[in-house]
Amino acid sequence: MAALWVVLLPVTYAYTWENPTGIIRIIKSWFGNGRNHPLLFVVSVVIYLSPSMLSAILFLLPFLRRSLESSDFKLVRLIIWWSQPRLFVGRGMHESAFSLFMYTMFWIALLLIKFAFSYYVEIKPLVEPTKVIMKTPIRTFRWHEVFPSEKSNIGVVIALWAPIILVYFMDTQIWYTIFSTLLGGIYGAFQRLGEIRTLGMLRARFDSIPLAFNSCLIPVETSDTKRKKGLRSYLHNRFKEMEHADKENIAARFAQMWNEIITSFRDEDLIDNREKELLLVPYVSDQALGVMQWPPFLLASKIPTAVDMAKDSNGKDRDLKNRLENDYYFNCAIEECYVSFKNIINDLVQGEPEKRVINKIFAEVEKCISEDKVIADLNMRALPDLYSKFVELVKYLVCITYILFFNAIDRSSAFSL
């Protein structure tokens, strides 16, 4: 195609001349001295520029370009091939018209300020001094080797304007850096980027991350009308108002993404194994718990603090409840600990009489919880002892689990031998 246009354009241009001379006459003699046809050259130029014009039209209409690139019709594929090479990766993935408009306005504003600054600050103040320098006669020639026949101060003018010319061609990058910094800062402020800067801020906002992940990265379902209300209106409250099944699905989606991020941190040796275990969301939630499980770093030290608060509550359930409700993770840690304790005791206790006693105790405790009479009806002074005994029980269970695990490995290896 390139070779064809190299021949076709000069030939059609030769036929636009009435009395050609030189190389135009030679070209016209090769293909015959016919009548003048300037229209042939115009048609050739239009055909030659048609791919560029089509590309410009598709650039100005990105929605049309996306639909054409996503189509598999032969005519459409021919048009796309004619305007640009066919895309095999990222077909139909282009910015919106508004994004292109904003990008164009960014460069227009940048260039206008650059040209205005260059004219009023760099060029205009040197025009009059340059005229005065050029009109000043030279009486002592010290650079006659460089300018042997020059009677004006051209060397001074060159020395004066050389830095200005260099700055004129280089300050576009400086203005781009300034504009991109300002625009990036404003955009980041509106997008609330970098808002979470400390571990405490991460803990305070971690309960809203699953909802933000679900709202921003999961495709919107047409049947879900609540998502049309926007993110900021329900960022902290909606996650608590949803049904348990919805919260469980959202937490499961988020847990998979969060754990992949933490695993990549460990693979890159940014964190150690202990930090990884503290940051990971439980991969498999215990269905028997019926509560949402958070990473251990969010719940660390919550239970000992809650035990001390309950011991020193002086029989005031409402005050204790208000203090615990100030921190969302207090409730999560207490609820998960209580349900885990209940399940462990129910699994360890054998025999029907013992189970009936245990179930009766838990029923009384849950009744006190529902009536906000835990501190009034129960003796909280023994709670620290119960907590320490439960910690010892968990340590024993962990040791037993390790022993059973290694015994199973030894048996399997002996069996294979």
Side-chain angles (χ1 to χ4, degrees):
M1 292 295 297
L4 176 63
W5 286 116
V6 167
V7 176
L8 186 60
L9 289 176
V11 170
T12 54
Y13 178 73
Y15 278 90
T16 61
W17 287 46
E18 295 181 359
N19 298 313
T21 59
I23 189 172
I24 302 299
R25 183 176 182 179
I26 295 174
I27 293 175
K28 195 171 182 179
S29 64
W30 289 347
F31 295 93
N33 293 318
R35 299 178 57 187
N36 299 328
H37 297 284
L39 184 62
L40 292 176
F41 179 70
V42 175
V43 172
S44 300
V45 172
V46 170
I47 296 175
Y48 176 75
L49 296 178
S50 57
S52 301
M53 292 187 292
L54 182 58
S55 299
I57 294 174
L58 295 180
F59 177 79
L60 296 176
L61 301 174
F63 62 91
L64 179 60
R65 179 170 53 170
R66 286 195 296 268
S67 59
L68 290 178
E69 289 185 355
S70 302
S71 177
D72 290 327
F73 290 103
K74 294 183 178 180
L75 180 61
V76 175
R77 292 171 61 183
L78 177 62
I79 294 175
I80 295 299
W81 170 83
W82 184 257
S83 62
Q84 61 184 5
R86 186 180 179 185
L87 299 176
F88 293 94
V89 178
R91 292 180 59 190
M93 297 176 62
H94 297 283
E95 297 293 336
S96 62
F98 180 75
S99 299
L100 294 177
F101 173 76
M102 295 301 296
Y103 181 75
T104 305
M105 294 303 297
F106 171 83
W107 278 104
I108 290 176
L110 187 150
L111 293 177
L112 285 178
I113 294 180
K114 177 255 190 305
F115 291 141
F117 180 84
S118 298
Y119 177 74
Y120 288 103
V121 178
E122 299 175 359
I123 298 176
K124 188 176 180 180
L126 292 181
V127 173
E128 291 300 327
T130 301
K131 293 180 180 179
V132 174
I133 292 173
M134 292 297 292
K135 293 178 181 179
T136 302
I138 300 177
R139 294 181 175 86
T140 303
F141 293 92
R142 295 183 179 180
W143 294 92
H144 58 276
E145 296 88 354
V146 181
F147 306 104
S149 60
E150 183 59 41
K151 302 300 181 181
S152 60
N153 295 314
I154 187 63
V156 178
V157 173
I158 293 176
L160 182 65
W161 280 88
I164 303 301
I165 295 174
L166 292 177
V167 172
Y168 180 84
F169 287 107
M170 294 175 59
D171 63 351
T172 304
Q173 181 65 32
I174 300 174
W175 284 109
Y176 173 77
T177 303
I178 297 174
F179 265 66
S180 60
T181 302
L182 294 177
L183 187 63
I186 296 173
Y187 180 79
F190 278 101
Q191 294 294 321
R192 304 174 70 180
L193 299 178
E195 182 177 353
I196 301 176
R197 297 181 294 273
T198 62
L199 186 58
M201 299 176 68
L202 176 62
R203 288 177 177 175
R205 291 165 172 79
F206 198 88
D207 59 332
S208 63
I209 295 179
L211 178 60
F213 168 77
N214 185 75
S215 301
C216 299
L217 299 181
I218 302 300
V220 179
E221 299 175 3
T222 56
S223 60
D224 191 0
T225 57
K226 294 183 179 180
R227 290 190 179 180
K228 298 180 182 180
K229 296 181 181 180
L231 176 61
R232 296 182 61 183
S233 61
Y234 57 85
L235 191 60
H236 295 284
N237 296 327
R238 184 189 167 195
F239 201 67
K240 302 175 184 178
E241 296 174 355
M242 288 186 302
E243 298 294 333
H244 175 70
D246 296 334
K247 292 194 292 185
E248 189 177 41
N249 293 333
I250 293 176
R253 295 170 184 169
F254 168 73
Q256 184 178 5
M257 184 273 295
W258 176 262
N259 290 339
E260 288 294 331
I261 295 175
I262 300 303
T263 304
S264 66
F265 286 170
R266 182 64 189 98
D267 294 338
E268 297 172 4
D269 205 20
L270 299 176
I271 57 177
D272 56 20
N273 290 327
R274 183 176 179 274
E275 292 173 336
K276 174 185 174 182
E277 297 299 329
L278 291 176
L279 292 172
L280 286 178
V281 178
Y283 280 96
V284 181
S285 299
D286 190 354
Q287 299 297 328
L289 292 179
V291 297
M292 186 180 304
Q293 295 180 275
W294 295 99
F297 83 95
L298 295 174
L299 310 181
S301 72
K302 299 296 182 182
I303 297 299
T305 305
V307 170
D308 294 336
M309 291 169 61
K311 183 185 66 173
D312 302 331
S313 58
N314 297 325
K316 297 180 180 180
D317 288 88
R318 180 58 59 184
D319 294 341
L320 177 61
K321 187 175 182 180
N322 292 334
R323 292 172 63 185
L324 294 178
E325 287 180 351
N326 291 331
D327 191 342
Y328 172 69
Y329 297 112
F330 263 123
N331 293 328
C332 294
I334 293 172
E335 186 177 2
E336 182 178 347
C337 182
Y338 173 75
V339 177
S340 301
F341 174 76
K342 180 180 177 180
N343 292 339
I344 291 174
I345 296 300
N346 287 329
D347 291 337
L348 292 179
V349 173
Q350 302 296 326
E352 291 299 327
E354 291 82 359
K355 284 185 176 292
R356 284 196 299 268
V357 174
I358 292 299
N359 292 332
K360 186 176 180 179
I361 294 174
F362 283 120
E364 290 294 331
V365 173
E366 291 173 1
K367 180 181 178 181
C368 295
I369 294 173
S370 61
E371 296 177 357
D372 290 338
K373 296 181 179 180
V374 176
I375 299 177
D377 295 346
L378 300 178
N379 184 12
M380 292 291 105
R381 296 184 181 276
L383 188 60
D385 296 332
L386 178 62
Y387 167 74
S388 60
K389 295 296 183 183
F390 181 66
V391 172
E392 292 180 6
L393 176 61
V394 172
K395 291 180 179 179
Y396 290 145
L397 292 177
V398 172
C399 293
I400 293 173
T401 302
Y402 278 120
I403 293 173
L404 294 176
F405 176 74
F406 288 118
N407 288 337
I409 293 178
D410 293 339
R411 291 178 183 178
S412 61
S413 59
F415 178 77
S416 61
L417 291 175

